[in-house]
Amino acid sequence: MGYSVESPILVGSRCEDRARCSAGPVGESCAAAASCFSPQVGTNLTDIVAHRKITIRELGGCMGPIWPSYYGNCRSLLFMIDASNPTQLSAACAQLLGLLSAEPLAEAQVLILFNKTDLACYMTVEEMKSLIRLPDIIACAKQNITVADISARTGTGLTEVLRWLQDTHGAG
């Protein structure tokens, strides 16, 4: 596939985790929130300027079977988990473990994003991290893993994501 060595890959679990909100009020319940999000399907290229241009390749969760064709030359991986939908945690964890065990990604820097933290839910993000045994995953992984709690809708945590991208891909 034709993308540069500088292109981070952004993925999420099975058409649930990387989603764009189409409507709905802030603070709604998990069930109500899930209905306002449409799944991200396919692949997109997004440019971010962080002292220089970084192109991020977004891969929808339904694209999971062909993700390996995008691993070549991957320096960084952003894995998004939908914090408003704990029912998808096991699927997200299985996909994350698959990514972390992929040999072409052994040297990649990894940023795990818990998105939609602004929405009310019956589980806290800390409970979700514990449920999937995230500390154990981080301790056993070959990769350097960073975790961030964000809300793409409100912008919470996005400054830290930008800083991670700058650190990972050089500011100069």
Side-chain angles (χ1 to χ4, degrees):
M1 296 291 153
Y3 62 97
S4 75
V5 72
E6 298 297 315
S7 294
I9 298 175
L10 170 65
V11 296
S13 177
R14 300 276 183 239
C15 292
E16 290 289 329
D17 300 330
R18 268 186 54 302
R20 302 182 191 280
C21 186
S22 56
V26 174
E28 57 202 355
S29 69
C30 288
S35 67
C36 90
F37 288 92
S38 58
Q40 176 62 36
V41 192
T43 182
N44 295 316
L45 293 175
T46 303
D47 291 332
I48 295 184
V49 178
H51 295 290
R52 67 184 184 85
K53 186 173 89 168
I54 299 171
T55 301
I56 298 175
R57 177 171 297 276
E58 300 176 78
L59 301 174
C62 289
M63 304 281 292
I66 65 165
W67 286 354
S69 64
Y70 292 95
Y71 294 168
N73 300 323
C74 179
R75 262 177 65 181
S76 62
L77 173 72
L78 292 86
F79 186 79
M80 190 159 311
I81 296 174
D82 184 345
S84 74
N85 190 356
T87 60
Q88 289 294 312
L89 277 177
S90 61
C93 184
Q95 283 189 308
L96 175 60
L97 291 171
L99 289 164
L100 295 176
S101 64
E103 192 56 40
L105 297 176
E107 300 294 320
Q109 299 292 311
V110 177
L111 177 59
I112 300 173
L113 301 167
F114 282 84
N115 189 25
K116 302 181 194 170
T117 57
D118 58 315
L119 300 178
C121 200
Y122 59 88
M123 285 183 81
T124 67
V125 173
E126 290 308 313
E127 288 172 322
M128 289 182 217
K129 291 175 183 177
S130 176
L131 186 63
I132 65 170
R133 300 183 60 161
L134 188 57
D136 293 336
I137 291 171
I138 292 169
C140 295
K142 297 176 188 175
Q143 297 87 345
N144 181 23
I145 298 176
T146 304
V147 179
D149 300 347
I150 67 165
S151 169
R153 185 185 351 205
T154 66
T156 303
L158 297 183
T159 300
E160 291 79 13
V161 174
L162 184 60
R163 189 173 303 119
W164 182 87
L165 284 166
Q166 289 171 332
D167 292 347
T168 302
H169 293 276

